[in-house]
Amino acid sequence: MIISRKLVSGKRLGAHIVAGTWWVNRYPGVRCDVPNALYSFSFAPNYTSPDLYTSGRDFVRYLSSVAAQNDVIDRIQCNTEVTSVRWLNDDQEWEIHVAHLTRGAGDLSVRERNQRIEELGQDSVILSHETLRAKVVISCVGILVEPRTWPDDVPGVGDFEGTIIHSARWRADIDLTGKVVLLVGGGCSAAQIVPSLLSGQQGLVKSMTQVIRDPPWVLPRLPEMGGKEAYAKYAPLVYGTFPFLGHVIRLLGYLMTEIDWYTAFQHRHKKTRAKLEQFALKHMHNLAPEKYHDALTPRYMYGCKRRVFDEDWLRSMSNVNFKLVTQRLEKLNARSATFASEKGQSSSVELHADVIILANGFEATRWLHPLEVIGRHGSCLQEIWDGRGGPQAYLGTAVDGFPNFFLVSGPNTFVARTSALLASESTVNYIMRIMKPVLKGDATLVEPTRQAVLQWTSNVQQKLKDTVFSSCASWYQDEKGWNSVLYPRSQIDFAFRCRFPRYHDWNVALTRKGKIKRRSKTIAWSTVVVAGFWLTGMKVQIEEDLLLN
């Protein structure tokens, strides 16, 4: 049984919408920054798309079509939240508690649902509760789930009389015509929102001020062959007629990201990284207004934080209605925001704002929050992680003491330079191999050994020190500096480990059927070995007899 804590709600468009974070992220301009050739499943390639980079809405349709084609739609229960799972030692099963939500409540964050319950009562969010049983539980929650809130160190959010929205919980009904907009954030989402709003999507804004703390390294996107119009016209036809070309493009893209990993992301390759930094700065200087060049120059190592692949954002900064601010945000007022003084000024700066857009990311290091997972020793998974320094799992998929419990897109399985779908697909195949004895009735439980989990975690954290990710603070790390997000090796390395499991790192409790099978296999192999030695001995004897004669 596969369970995700949160399966967001959706309207029927011929089929249920099952796109997770791509469903709830509906901000203007939302688009994947990884080419389709890589950002699609190997068993359902998306080469025939008219866009090299799929829009958020198109990717929702892609995922829904994949689910429909593989007949899993009827097995997915949307608008349902898994609140807790507990291992029952006596029954060798998981007990799962779920809450069936009101329509649309699944799109809300946990914080928003709790606030609605406080204001309108529990019936406004929860329709009913249900308890389920399962031999195997697989969490497919991911990390881009709970949006970050307003920064705790900036007071006055309760005094603000305008509208505050998060990019991950965009309101389709909001009209920004003639509004003074303040956008907080400088990552990928912010880089897509700014040019979209300045071009008039959801109303032509009066002005837009973007607040960034640390500017990203900005690189040009991989261009469409022949230009966007020609690509949209001919790519579907060419790849549809010659599908092997799509596989070639996917392989080349895969190899390029691996080369990128072994060069720019390793501490020791300083010269290569310096060239890439100069290339990125030249790209920024060519497109952004000169007055913003200093503000857009990163003060940290290339690759340490997620890069932005863009041209539109930098060009949109030339719009007369745009302003970039890098001063520290000090507080919110009724209709304005106060910033720290600029260089050469003694007083702070106050800017008017009607609408504030938070594009400050997600609580990415709070794994499974607020899902409660209780293992076979009665311990909570979160408490185990806190005691061991931070979220961790063997190969990012399982933890000792939590039998038959697996994670897809678990701790330290993400790569910062390529498609997350590649790692997810490898993980699923790995889990299917590991839990095969349970599904066949040959075992009651499987779980990694404590030594394997601790050794794997220690090795991962040590390897991260050899990469650029340890050179600065980022959303990959928690407040203690523990990086539970990134995989410190290549994608090929991860795929290889998933393809060839180390079964001796797992404890397996066999059933009577499984013990008989194992005993039979042992006898069969022993017979083969003995027979081999006997035949070898016979051959030697015959050769000796021939030699004597």
Side-chain angles (χ1 to χ4, degrees):
M1 183 173 187
I2 299 179
I3 291 181
S4 173
R5 178 181 66 80
K6 184 179 180 183
L7 294 172
V8 298
S9 64
K11 298 177 181 178
R12 281 188 78 88
L13 298 174
H16 288 295
I17 295 177
V18 288
T21 191
W22 285 102
W23 165 250
V24 294
N25 279 270
R26 309 169 204 168
Y27 60 81
V30 58
R31 184 175 294 274
C32 183
D33 61 359
V34 178
N36 297 330
L38 286 179
Y39 208 81
S40 57
F41 295 113
S42 62
F43 58 86
N46 192 24
Y47 307 137
T48 57
S49 171
D51 298 309
L52 182 61
Y53 301 92
T54 304
S55 69
R57 294 301 89 195
D58 284 342
F59 196 71
V60 168
R61 285 189 278 270
Y62 165 76
L63 290 177
S64 296
S65 67
V66 171
Q69 290 167 11
N70 289 274
D71 297 323
V72 298
I73 289 292
D74 293 336
R75 299 176 182 270
I76 298 175
Q77 187 168 309
C78 293
N79 223 37
T80 303
E81 181 183 30
V82 180
T83 57
S84 68
V85 294
R86 178 184 295 272
W87 177 256
L88 304 177
N89 283 313
D90 293 339
D91 299 329
Q92 301 285 279
E93 287 184 340
W94 286 98
E95 183 180 77
I96 305 106
H97 296 275
V98 302
H100 299 286
L101 309 179
T102 57
R103 184 170 182 175
D107 289 348
L108 303 177
S109 66
V110 172
R111 191 175 292 104
E112 290 170 326
R113 290 204 295 273
N114 290 338
Q115 183 178 354
R116 178 181 289 188
I117 290 174
E118 289 181 7
E119 295 174 355
L120 304 175
Q122 183 169 286
D123 293 343
S124 63
V125 173
I126 300 174
L127 293 174
S128 62
H129 294 273
E130 186 178 3
T131 300
L132 307 172
R133 291 287 189 94
K135 280 288 185 183
V136 177
V137 173
I138 303 177
S139 169
C140 302
V141 174
I143 59 175
L144 304 184
V145 180
E146 292 299 314
R148 283 182 177 173
T149 58
W150 182 259
D152 294 332
D153 58 346
V154 180
V157 64
D159 301 327
F160 186 65
E161 297 175 356
T163 302
I164 300 179
I165 58 175
H166 196 283
S167 60
R169 295 297 183 272
W170 194 265
R171 286 170 41 190
D173 63 339
I174 191 169
D175 184 6
L176 299 177
T177 303
K179 301 293 184 181
V180 177
V181 177
L182 180 71
L183 186 144
V184 179
C188 300
S189 296
Q192 294 175 339
I193 292 173
V194 170
S196 298
L197 293 186
L198 287 175
S199 66
Q201 292 189 32
Q202 292 200 250
L204 188 63
V205 300
K206 181 178 181 180
S207 66
M208 169 168 285
T209 299
Q210 183 176 7
V211 183
I212 62 173
R213 182 178 54 185
D214 296 314
W217 287 103
V218 184
L219 295 171
R221 287 192 300 262
L222 183 70
E224 292 84 351
M225 293 172 46
K228 289 185 178 181
E229 292 185 4
Y231 186 90
K233 182 178 181 180
Y234 296 110
L237 176 63
V238 172
Y239 290 127
T241 306
F242 307 103
F244 73 91
L245 290 177
H247 294 283
V248 171
I249 295 298
R250 182 184 178 92
L251 177 60
L252 291 176
Y254 190 80
L255 293 176
M256 286 176 61
T257 61
E258 293 298 277
I259 293 173
D260 194 24
W261 164 251
Y262 282 112
T263 53
F265 288 88
Q266 305 300 310
H267 258 310
R268 62 183 182 273
H269 295 302
K270 297 180 180 179
K271 291 183 179 180
T272 301
R273 203 159 42 250
K275 292 179 181 179
L276 289 170
E277 289 177 354
Q278 289 302 314
F279 176 73
L281 290 176
K282 183 178 179 180
H283 173 66
M284 181 268 289
H285 290 163
N286 288 338
L287 298 181
E290 186 176 355
K291 62 181 178 180
Y292 293 140
H293 285 182
D294 184 64
L296 290 172
T297 301
R299 274 30 176 202
Y300 56 88
M301 196 177 295
Y302 174 92
C304 177
K305 300 185 180 184
R306 193 141 180 354
R307 299 166 297 177
V308 171
F309 295 87
D310 172 84
E311 287 93 16
D312 298 335
W313 177 46
L314 296 176
R315 288 196 182 100
S316 69
M317 293 182 183
S318 298
N319 191 305
V320 294
N321 296 322
F322 176 83
K323 182 177 182 179
L324 184 66
V325 174
T326 58
Q327 290 93 277
R328 180 171 53 85
L329 183 58
E330 292 187 331
K331 67 173 182 176
L332 278 186
N333 310 301
R335 283 288 177 177
S336 64
T338 302
F339 295 85
S341 60
E342 298 181 8
K343 293 180 180 180
Q345 296 183 356
S346 58
S347 59
S348 57
V349 178
E350 189 171 336
L351 297 177
H352 177 70
D354 298 316
V355 178
I356 296 178
I357 300 172
L358 294 179
N360 57 344
F362 300 83
E363 297 176 349
T365 58
R366 300 185 69 185
W367 294 87
L368 301 180
H369 174 79
L371 173 62
E372 183 182 56
V373 183
I374 307 297
R376 61 185 175 88
H377 298 302
S379 300
C380 177
L381 182 56
Q382 296 291 349
E383 293 175 355
I384 296 293
W385 281 343
D386 290 341
R388 295 183 180 181
Q392 55 194 263
Y394 177 71
L395 207 61
T397 60
V399 182
D400 58 292
F402 297 83
N404 301 351
F405 181 81
F406 301 95
L407 301 106
V408 175
S409 301
N412 297 110
T413 59
F414 285 82
V415 288
R417 63 203 178 277
T418 185
S419 169
L421 297 185
L422 299 176
S424 297
E425 203 170 326
S426 294
T427 301
V428 170
N429 291 331
Y430 177 78
I431 292 173
M432 295 302 294
R433 292 186 179 95
I434 295 299
M435 73 178 189
K436 186 178 180 180
V438 177
L439 299 181
K440 294 178 66 175
D442 296 334
T444 56
L445 62 86
V446 291
E447 67 171 278
T449 65
R450 175 182 171 85
Q451 181 182 359
V453 176
L454 295 179
Q455 186 175 351
W456 172 263
T457 302
S458 175
N459 185 268
V460 164
Q461 295 301 318
Q462 186 62 39
K463 284 290 183 181
L464 281 169
K465 295 179 181 179
D466 297 332
T467 68
V468 296
F469 306 123
S470 62
S471 64
C472 73
S474 67
W475 64 267
Y476 306 136
Q477 305 162 345
D478 61 19
E479 60 278 0
K480 297 177 294 184
W482 182 272
N483 188 330
S484 61
V485 176
L486 295 176
Y487 188 67
R489 302 183 183 89
S490 72
Q491 188 74 261
I492 292 178
D493 178 274
F494 186 77
F496 184 85
R497 291 173 188 270
C498 290
R499 181 65 181 83
F500 302 101
R502 295 174 49 146
Y503 291 105
H504 61 271
D505 285 340
W506 289 81
N507 287 325
V508 181
L510 295 175
T511 61
R512 185 172 181 273
K513 173 186 172 184
K515 291 177 180 178
I516 294 174
K517 276 189 175 182
R518 174 173 287 186
R519 191 175 297 114
S520 300
K521 287 183 179 179
T522 301
I523 294 173
W525 277 109
S526 299
T527 302
V528 170
V529 171
V530 171
F533 279 118
W534 182 78
L535 290 173
T536 302
M538 288 292 294
K539 179 183 178 183
V540 171
Q541 184 62 48
I542 293 172
E543 290 176 347
E544 289 178 352
D545 292 343
L546 292 173
L547 182 63
L548 292 174
N549 293 331

